[in-house]
Structure formats: structure tokens, C-alpha cells
């Protein structure tokens, strides 16, 4: 639904504007003339009152449009000035005076005081039924309330559909951010950021907005016009407790009552979602995963990244940054256990003694990690610890199906924030390309560039044709005959043609290996001692994982 506010209605209160009231048939038929406050016609009219007593201001609460024929205004200028000043102090929306037996034109004292007080003053040149005016404006106000409720209900419906469709808290916050046109934040009850959605001014990352307006000032009142809604807790003994807090900051556009109503509706949905165990932990891990993914994909610059990382608790200083990506992929068990995984890995890495930022991306089946090294020479040792912690975390979280392949861990190159951005992107792609390789505790991203290149060409028909030309006869042989020869060729090439090492790994005697190699050369019509042939066969064996 369009989140733009109808200008007939007030954008900051539940009512209509003075301008809209003057456009309705009842007041329009009285030929209204604006004598003061023409620049204040956007004021909210929350109710209409008609009266003729001098002390009528004491009966009002503010926001009313007052209708009168002027009998309560007094006859002396001092009385008239006092009458207008008390109405202005009470905060009414506008004063509308019908000309007739009491006044043929409004006194100068009345008009001058209204102008000085900034109070909209309108005189009607024709008699109008006040009851008709009251009914029309009240109907319009009620219709405005109903329109607000309809728009908020639409947001509630979309959030519910997102959850039923498999979405979660990020989707709910994204819908609310899109509706309000402002960034939306979910905080813990003590003000720690759990998740951010939407954009700041000029497309700025919401983490920048939160750090500037909320992070250091969470105990202070929020900026004027903000919306804060508590997300209630749940479970025994938690009645009335606050589990989290929704925060909408008006940094791109003003927030109106409909945005508060929508936030209250969304808070009810979030309360149900967060009642599930460890939801806050998983949400925080997802938020860190979104940051690391945005950094990898260039949506966060190297200049802005350090400040946003500090919001998430990562303060590596000037240390070299080491990017690591683990991909679980198709081995992911239904239901997941991302919160358990994030906690298990974080606890293990805390013992490494270096700053760590760990995030998850359930949709891609990825865990992204950024570590601050004391020195680049620590890279191999830290990589060993990180890889072991990641793989152990998967097992602890029960996220692998029985018999499924182990996750792939890829370690990038250490460097500054710019290198971290490129390194995370490279490692993430390489982790996908490395699926199906011989299992290792971790892979160095730099040593898999050929596999990454072949993976990027996986949909190109020339790659499939190349594989078919290079090893097609062996593949056909293995489909109909024993022993299979492709594993022999692969092991032989992995050992750079050293026959003794190949025979030992395959548990073959030397003559059997020689016979198999001869048969391979015969089927392929090539010489296995030719360097160009060896290169082509090596590439084809790597590429066959990516083609049908």
C-alpha cells in the first residue's frame, strides 16, 4: 500500500486540517474569509465545538475548531483581546465567527490579536447551520481514523503473509521500513541493536543512522517525531515485561499516526516470533551477516565500514583483517540451528584472543567471519582454529543431514577494509565453487582461482563440450565397465605423474597401474606424458563437477 499521507488529513495527529474543514460544503457555503493565520491552515482539527460564552476556553482541550456568532467575545477591545489570547493558549485549531446581528465585520482588536498569536481566524459572510458543519467535520475525522486503521491493517496483513511464507523478523522489519519510508530498528530492552532495516538519508546504511542517533544516546529521549513501540515478552513470569523495542526514526520523512499504529501491529507479530528460543541471538547473527554481505558486495565502502562495524561490537583497530566464509549449502538440515551455530563458534573463537565478527546468511547457507589479526604471520594458525570451530559448530547445532558432505571453509587474504571487502566476496564465491572437492579443513581462496573460473563458466555450452572432448571416452567407459578409470587418472594427475605415489594411494601394484594408464591413453588417444595433455585433462576433471 502507498505510504504517502493524504493531504486532507493531518500528518501528525488523528484529525483533518483546518484547510480541509474550510473546503467542506458546510463552511464553504458561508463564504469563509481568512483574516489571520493563513499560514497555519495545516493545523489539526480533532473536534468541533460551538459556543457563545466568554469563558469557553476553559471548556476546551486543544485542537478544536470553535464556531461562534460572537456573543461571547465581549464588547470592549480588552475583552476581545483576552478572549482570543486564552483560546490561543488553549491550543485550539481555529476560530470561526459567523457575521450577523452581533458583528457585521470583526473588530480590529480581535483580528490583530489573532495575527499576533498565530491563531487562524475566519469570518463567515453567510449564515450556516452549525450542526451541519459539526456533522460534516466529525464524519471526515472518523473517516480519517478509519483510513489510518485500514492502512495499518494492510501492513499487518503483509507481515503475516511474509511469516506464513517462511519469512521472519527481517522481512517484517523490511515491510515496516518500506511503509514508513524510514529506517526501522529492533533493539533489546537495554538498547542493544538486534537488527536494522531500510535506508537512511540518500541511501545511507541504517547502521550509520543508528550509531549517530541511538547508539551513544540510547538512554536519552529519541529525536522528536520518532516512534518507539515495546515488543512484549512472553512465557511464565514475564507478564508486562519488554522483550525488545521497535524504533522508527524520521530521518527521511515525517512519521504520522498511521506509522505508530502499523508499528504496534508489527510489535504484536514480533512478540510471537521472538518467543521462540534463541530468536534474538539468531537475529543479531543475521544482522551481522547482512553487514558482512553488504561489505562484500560493495554496498558499504571501506571508509564507512569501521564505524558501522563498531556498532556491531567489532573493533579491530589497525589490525590486518582476515575474511573467512563457510558454506553449508545442501547439507543444511531442515529447521536449522543458526543461533546455536553462531554461539558455539563465537565461544570457541573467543579463546583465539583476536577480535571476531561473525554473521550468518541462512538463505545462502553461509557463515561469514571477519577477524582482526595481530600480524599476517598468524594467518595459518588462526585459519586452523577458525575452520575447526566452524565445522564443530555445525555438528553441535545439528545442521548436517546424516551422510551429507562436510561444509566448505574458505580463507581469504588478510589486509585492510578494502581488501576485506574483496576477500569476503572472493571467499564466498570460492566456497560455492569448491563444493564437491576433496575434503580439507579449509581452503586457501588463492589456490582455487581455477575452480572459481570454471564455476563461473558452468552454464556456458563450450565448457560442457570441452569436458566431453577431453574425458568423454573415459566417462563412457566407466559407465559400462570396471574398473573405473577416471579415479585413477585423477589420482595420477594429483601426484603430478609420480607413479609410485599414485600406486600407493590407490593400493595397486605397479604393473596394474601401468596397465590402467595405458588403457586411459588408448581410450583418449593421447600421451599422458605430454604437458599440454596433462593440463587439459586436469582442467576437464575440475570442470566436470560443474557440468551435467
Amino acid at each position: 500500500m502507498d505510504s504517502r499521507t493524504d493531504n486532507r488529513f493531518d500528518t501528525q495527529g488523528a484529525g483533518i486540517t483546518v484547510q480541509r474543514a474550510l473546503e467542506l460544503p458546510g463552511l464553504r457555503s458561508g463564504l469563509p474569509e481568512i483574516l489571520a493565520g493563513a499560514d497555519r491552515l495545516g493545523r489539526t482539527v480533532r473536534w468541533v465545538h460551538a459556543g457563545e460564552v466568554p469563558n469557553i476556553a476553559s471548556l476546551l482541550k486543544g485542537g478544536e475548531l470553535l464556531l461562534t456568532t460572537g456573543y461571547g467575545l465581549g464588547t470592549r477591545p480588552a475583552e476581545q483581546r483576552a478572549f482570543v489570547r486564552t483560546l490561543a493558549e488553549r491550543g485550539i485549531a481555529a476560530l470561526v465567527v459567523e457575521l450577523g446581528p452581533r458583528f457585521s465585520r470583526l473588530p480590529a482588536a480581535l483580528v490583530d490579536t489573532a495575527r499576533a498569536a498565530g491563531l487562524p481566524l475566519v469570518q463567515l459572510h453567510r449564515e450556516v447551520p452549525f450542526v451541519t458543519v459539526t456533522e460534516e467535520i466529525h464524519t471526515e475525522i472518523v473517516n480519517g481514523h478509519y483510513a489510518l486503521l485500514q492502512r495499518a491493517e494492510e501492513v499487518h496483513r503483509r507481515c503475516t503473509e511474509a511469516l506464513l511464507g517462511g519469512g521472519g523478523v527481517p522481512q517484517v522489519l523490511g515491510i515496516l521500513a518500506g511503509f514508513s519510508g524510514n529506517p526501522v530498528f529492533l533493539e533489546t530492552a537495554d538498547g542493544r541493536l538486534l537488527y536494522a532495516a531500510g535506508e537512511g538519508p540518500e541511501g545511507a546504511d541504517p547502521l550509520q543512522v543508528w550509531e549517530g542517533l541511538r547508539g551513544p544516546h540510547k538512554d536519552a529521549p529519541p529525536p522528536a517525531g520518532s516512534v518507539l513501540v515495546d515488543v512484549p515478552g512472553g512465557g511464565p513470569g514475564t507478564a508486562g515485561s519488554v522483550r525488545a523495542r521497535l524504533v522508527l526514526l524520521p530521518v527521511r520523512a515525517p512519521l504520522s499516526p498511521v506509522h505508530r499504529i502499523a508499528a504496534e501491529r508489527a510489535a504484536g507479530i514480533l512478540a510471537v516470533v521472538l518467543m521462540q528460543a534463541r530468536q534474538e541471538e539468531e537475529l543479531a547473527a543475521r544482522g551481522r551477516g547482512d553487514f558482512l554481505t553488504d561489505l562484500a558486495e560493495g554496498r558499504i565502502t571501506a571508509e564507512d565500514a569501521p564505524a558501522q562495524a563498531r556498532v556491531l561490537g567489532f573493533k579491530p583497530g589497525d589490525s590486518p583483517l582476515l575474511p573467512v566464509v563457510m558454506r553449508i549449502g545442501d547439507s543444511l538440515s531442515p529447521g536449522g540451528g543458526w543461533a546455536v551455530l553462531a554461539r558455539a563458534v563465537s565461544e570457541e573463537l573467543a579463546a583465539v584472543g583476536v577480535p571476531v565478527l561473525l554473521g550468518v546468511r541462512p538463505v545462502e547457507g553461509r557463515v561469514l567471519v571477519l577477524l582482526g589479526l595481530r600480524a599476517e604471520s598468524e594467518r595459518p594458525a588462526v585459519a586452523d582454529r577458525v575452520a575447526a570451530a566452524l565445522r564443530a559448530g555445525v555438528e553441535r547445532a545439528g545442521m548436517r543431514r546424516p551422510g551429507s558432505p562436510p561444509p566448505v571453509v574458505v580463507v581469504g587474504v588478510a589486509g585492510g577494509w578494502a581488501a576485506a571487502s574483496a576477500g569476503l566476496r572472493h571467499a564466498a564465491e570460492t566456497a560455492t565453487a569448491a563444493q564437491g572437492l576433496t575434503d580439507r579443513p579449509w581452503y586457501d581462496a588463492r589456490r582455487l582461482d581455477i575452480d572459481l573460473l570454471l564455476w563461473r563458466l558452468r552454464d556456458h555450452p563450450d565448457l560442457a563440450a570441452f569436458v566431453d572432448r577431453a574425458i568423454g571416452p573415459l566417462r563412457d567407459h566407466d559407465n559400462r565397465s570396471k574398473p573405473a578409470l577416471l579415479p585413477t587418472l585423477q589420482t595420477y594427475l594429483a601426484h603430478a605423474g609420480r607413479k609410485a605415489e599414485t600406486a600407493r594411494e590407490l593400493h595397486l601394484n605397479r604393473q596394474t597401474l601401468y596397465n590402467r594408464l595405458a588403457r586411459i591413453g588408448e581410450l583418449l588417444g593421447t600421451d599422458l606424458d605430454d604437458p599440454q595433455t596433462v593440463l587439459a585433462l586436469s582442467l576437464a576433471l575440475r570442470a566436470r563437477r560443474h557440468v551435467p
Side-chain angles (χ1 to χ4, degrees):
M1 174 168 292
D2 190 348
S3 63
R4 291 172 296 182
T5 302
D6 189 331
N7 60 16
R8 297 175 301 170
F9 300 101
D10 171 54
T11 59
Q12 300 300 323
I16 66 170
T17 62
V18 174
Q19 179 67 52
R20 175 58 182 166
L22 296 175
E23 294 170 352
L24 294 174
L27 286 178
R28 193 172 67 244
S29 66
L31 301 180
E33 180 185 357
I34 301 165
L35 302 179
D39 58 338
R40 308 290 179 91
L41 299 185
R43 282 185 171 183
T44 301
V45 177
R46 292 184 174 84
W47 208 244
V48 181
H49 191 85
E52 304 293 344
V53 295
N55 65 338
I56 196 168
S58 64
L59 305 177
L60 305 178
K61 296 182 178 179
E64 295 90 352
L65 185 145
L66 178 60
L67 298 170
T68 181
T69 58
Y71 282 101
L73 294 177
T75 57
R76 293 179 297 176
E79 294 173 335
Q80 294 165 357
R81 285 193 288 268
F83 184 88
V84 172
R85 279 198 296 267
T86 55
L87 290 177
E89 291 169 358
R90 182 61 68 172
I92 72 166
L95 173 61
V96 179
V97 183
E98 182 184 86
L99 302 179
R102 181 66 181 86
F103 293 113
S104 59
R105 59 180 300 169
L106 293 186
L110 198 73
V111 176
D112 293 343
T113 306
R115 287 173 179 167
L119 175 66
L121 174 63
V122 179
Q123 65 180 8
L124 301 179
H125 290 276
R126 288 182 181 174
E127 181 179 336
V128 299
F130 282 0
V131 65
T132 300
V133 172
T134 300
E135 288 177 349
E136 284 183 349
I137 294 178
H138 287 175
T139 298
E140 194 81 355
I141 291 172
V142 170
N143 287 343
H145 277 286
Y146 180 67
L148 292 181
L149 291 174
Q150 277 190 313
R151 295 171 66 199
E153 191 59 35
E154 171 67 11
V155 174
H156 184 268
R157 182 189 64 78
R158 290 172 56 198
C159 291
T160 302
E161 287 181 350
L163 291 180
L164 293 176
V169 174
Q171 287 71 30
V172 171
L173 297 182
I175 291 170
L176 189 57
F179 176 70
S180 69
N182 286 287
V184 175
F185 308 91
L186 186 66
E187 302 176 354
T188 60
D190 60 359
R192 179 172 55 87
L193 179 64
L194 281 175
Y195 200 84
E199 295 181 344
E202 299 180 355
D205 190 277
L207 291 179
Q208 292 177 294
V209 177
W210 191 86
E211 173 67 3
L213 298 178
R214 286 293 291 166
H217 318 291
K218 54 181 178 291
D219 296 327
S226 301
V227 170
L228 274 70
V229 177
D230 289 341
V231 178
T238 61
S241 66
V242 176
R243 185 154 199 165
R245 184 174 293 111
L246 264 177
V247 181
L248 283 68
L249 298 178
V251 295
R252 299 187 67 189
L255 293 167
S256 64
V258 67
H259 299 129
R260 173 171 290 279
I261 296 171
E264 290 170 349
R265 295 279 202 278
I269 293 176
L270 294 175
V272 175
V273 177
L274 293 178
M275 283 176 64
Q276 302 177 43
R278 299 187 183 277
Q279 283 295 309
E280 289 96 334
E281 290 183 53
E282 179 175 331
L283 193 59
R286 287 191 182 204
R288 295 190 295 269
D290 290 349
F291 165 76
L292 291 171
T293 299
D294 287 344
L295 177 65
E297 296 179 358
R299 290 190 288 270
I300 297 175
T301 66
E303 292 75 20
D304 294 335
Q308 296 184 39
R310 283 195 298 272
V311 174
L312 301 174
F314 184 57
K315 303 172 184 178
D318 296 326
S319 301
L321 303 175
L322 180 66
V324 180
V325 175
M326 176 176 70
R327 187 175 189 274
I328 303 174
D330 296 336
S331 63
L332 177 64
S333 176
W338 294 99
V340 178
L341 171 62
R343 169 175 282 192
V345 176
S346 296
E347 289 174 352
E348 175 64 26
L349 294 183
V352 178
V354 297
V356 177
L357 183 64
L358 181 145
V360 302
R361 291 282 288 186
V363 173
E364 295 95 350
R366 286 179 187 157
V367 179
L368 302 98
V369 185
L370 204 56
L371 303 103
L373 302 178
R374 287 181 288 264
E376 291 191 33
S377 59
E378 290 186 323
R379 181 177 181 266
V382 171
D384 287 340
R385 293 287 298 274
V386 174
L390 286 168
R391 292 160 72 98
V394 171
E395 299 297 334
R396 181 172 164 185
M399 298 180 70
R400 280 183 62 200
R401 296 187 180 96
S404 61
V408 172
V409 178
V410 175
V411 179
V413 180
W417 280 101
S421 174
L424 281 168
R425 181 171 60 253
H426 186 204
E429 285 190 315
T430 303
T432 300
Q435 299 291 307
L437 288 178
T438 303
D439 183 35
R440 292 182 182 177
W442 58 275
Y443 297 91
D444 189 325
R446 296 169 296 188
R447 297 177 62 86
L448 294 180
D449 278 342
I450 291 177
D451 295 273
L452 179 57
L453 176 61
L454 295 172
W455 175 76
R456 287 174 174 167
L457 295 172
R458 64 193 180 280
D459 295 325
H460 199 292
D462 287 348
L463 184 64
F466 164 69
V467 172
D468 190 59
R469 286 194 305 271
I471 60 172
L474 282 188
R475 189 170 53 193
D476 294 341
H477 170 274
D478 288 359
N479 287 335
R480 62 176 185 267
S481 303
K482 299 293 182 183
L485 297 178
L486 276 172
T488 300
L489 177 61
Q490 189 163 0
T491 306
Y492 176 71
L493 295 177
H495 288 288
R498 293 187 290 271
K499 297 182 177 65
E501 295 177 16
T502 304
R504 277 197 299 271
E505 182 167 331
L506 294 173
H507 305 289
L508 299 175
N509 61 53
R510 299 282 289 273
Q511 189 58 50
T512 300
L513 176 63
Y514 295 160
N515 292 339
R516 289 190 183 183
L517 293 176
R519 178 62 174 153
I520 290 171
E522 179 184 340
L523 287 170
L524 297 180
T526 191
D527 180 4
L528 295 184
D529 292 326
D530 175 55
Q532 293 299 319
T533 298
V534 170
L535 175 61
L537 292 175
S538 298
L539 289 174
L541 288 171
R542 287 187 174 191
R544 68 182 178 134
R545 296 183 300 111
H546 307 305
V547 297

